[in-house]
Amino acid sequence: SQQGEEDPQALSIQEGENATMNCSYKTSINNLQWYRQNSGRGLVHLILIRSNEREKHSGRLRVTLDTSKKSSSLLITASRAADTASYFCATVPFQGAQKLVFGQGTRLTINP
Amino acid sequence: NAGVTQTPKFQVLKTGQSMTLQCAQDMNHEYMSWYRQDPGMGLRLIHYSVGAGITDQGEVPNGYNVSRSTTEDFPLRLLSAAPSQTSVYFCASWQRHSSYNEQFFGPGTRLTVL
């Protein structure tokens, strides 16, 4: 069964606005990752946050992790049309685990 | 480096036919995996491999076989295709000794079973 549940399932905003997506998971984790998937393409790794970290930044991306609530959020600031994609969270249950467990994804649309 | 490559990009099968989806990576990654993605859903793990000669089942293995004779290649075989196997299939690879488990994905194979 899938570990993560993402909220919202779809999000539509205007270019320049910030986009926030949330991910909840069920079991303990070693790290949580966010991936982007453009339409008709494979997934691309965006950012990873470890279980002992609370916040991480990469360019216009900001990820937070609350292990007590088993939740994470991905914030994209100053959105661009090119950010239109589906975003997935994926969890790694322990270090060296042999698989990722993906959420269902959030479909983000940036309107020009 | 080409990264992870998959062939074919598109395939249409009739119920009962068999076929092999090809996956290759040139990053010398020990781990490889196959996922399927259905509309409105995330990726579900079919099979994975932690090295040549070693494979294991994922979440949805029924109807699929894999083998790993080399580090580079990880083919996925559909033994007798069913309409329920209509999906987009992704292959991924990653380094065994990475503490990050970041996976690298191929572009996918879109399979339709009639």
Side-chain angles (χ1 to χ4, degrees):
Chain A
S1 60
Q2 292 185 292
Q3 164 85 300
E5 294 184 0
E6 296 182 63
D7 170 55
Q9 292 188 355
L11 178 62
S12 181
I13 60 173
Q14 295 300 119
E15 194 168 18
E17 294 180 339
N18 296 341
T20 300
M21 290 159 275
N22 303 298
C23 168
S24 61
Y25 56 92
K26 300 174 183 176
T27 63
S28 61
I29 61 171
N30 174 267
N31 67 71
L32 184 145
Q33 304 176 26
W34 286 89
Y35 287 79
R36 184 187 71 227
Q37 183 182 33
N38 291 92
S39 181
R41 307 291 292 275
L43 277 70
V44 174
H45 182 266
L46 293 176
I47 193 167
L48 177 151
I49 187 165
R50 296 175 177 174
S51 60
N52 61 354
E53 297 176 314
R54 292 298 167 257
E55 186 172 312
K56 202 162 184 180
H57 297 256
S58 177
R60 294 184 296 112
L61 305 180
R62 172 178 171 255
V63 171
T64 62
L65 179 65
D66 187 335
T67 53
S68 66
K69 295 181 179 179
K70 292 187 170 58
S71 67
S72 174
S73 67
L74 172 67
L75 168 68
I76 304 174
T77 61
S79 62
R80 306 168 181 169
D83 294 328
T84 294
S86 291
Y87 292 81
F88 295 89
C89 68
T91 55
V92 177
F94 54 88
Q95 185 172 350
Q98 296 150 357
K99 49 191 174 182
L100 291 173
V101 182
F102 284 86
Q104 296 179 338
T106 293
R107 174 68 188 170
L108 175 64
T109 301
I110 308 300
N111 302 303
Chain B
N1 289 346
V4 180
T5 58
Q6 292 183 238
T7 57
K9 291 185 178 180
F10 301 95
Q11 183 70 48
V12 178
L13 293 177
K14 294 181 180 179
T15 297
Q17 287 185 315
S18 63
M19 78 159 295
T20 299
L21 280 64
Q22 301 291 344
C23 174
Q25 53 93 10
D26 61 359
M27 296 173 282
N28 201 32
H29 287 168
E30 292 90 346
Y31 289 0
M32 296 184 75
S33 56
W34 276 102
Y35 296 88
R36 61 177 287 172
Q37 184 179 34
D38 299 300
M41 298 185 70
L43 278 69
R44 292 185 292 169
L45 183 65
I46 304 172
H47 287 284
Y48 64 97
S49 169
V50 299
I54 306 170
T55 64
D56 205 347
Q57 296 180 349
E59 181 185 356
V60 287
N62 292 341
Y64 307 95
N65 272 1
V66 292
S67 60
R68 184 97 178 272
S69 57
T70 67
T71 300
E72 295 77 19
D73 301 299
F74 190 42
L76 177 72
R77 298 183 187 84
L78 279 70
L79 308 174
S80 178
S84 61
Q85 294 179 304
T86 293
S87 187
V88 182
Y89 292 84
F90 291 98
C91 179
S93 73
W94 71 107
Q95 289 181 322
R96 177 181 181 183
H97 294 295
S98 167
S99 61
Y100 296 107
N101 301 96
E102 173 191 349
Q103 296 197 7
F104 296 83
F105 284 81
T109 294
R110 185 173 296 275
L111 175 67
T112 301
V113 183
L114 302 175

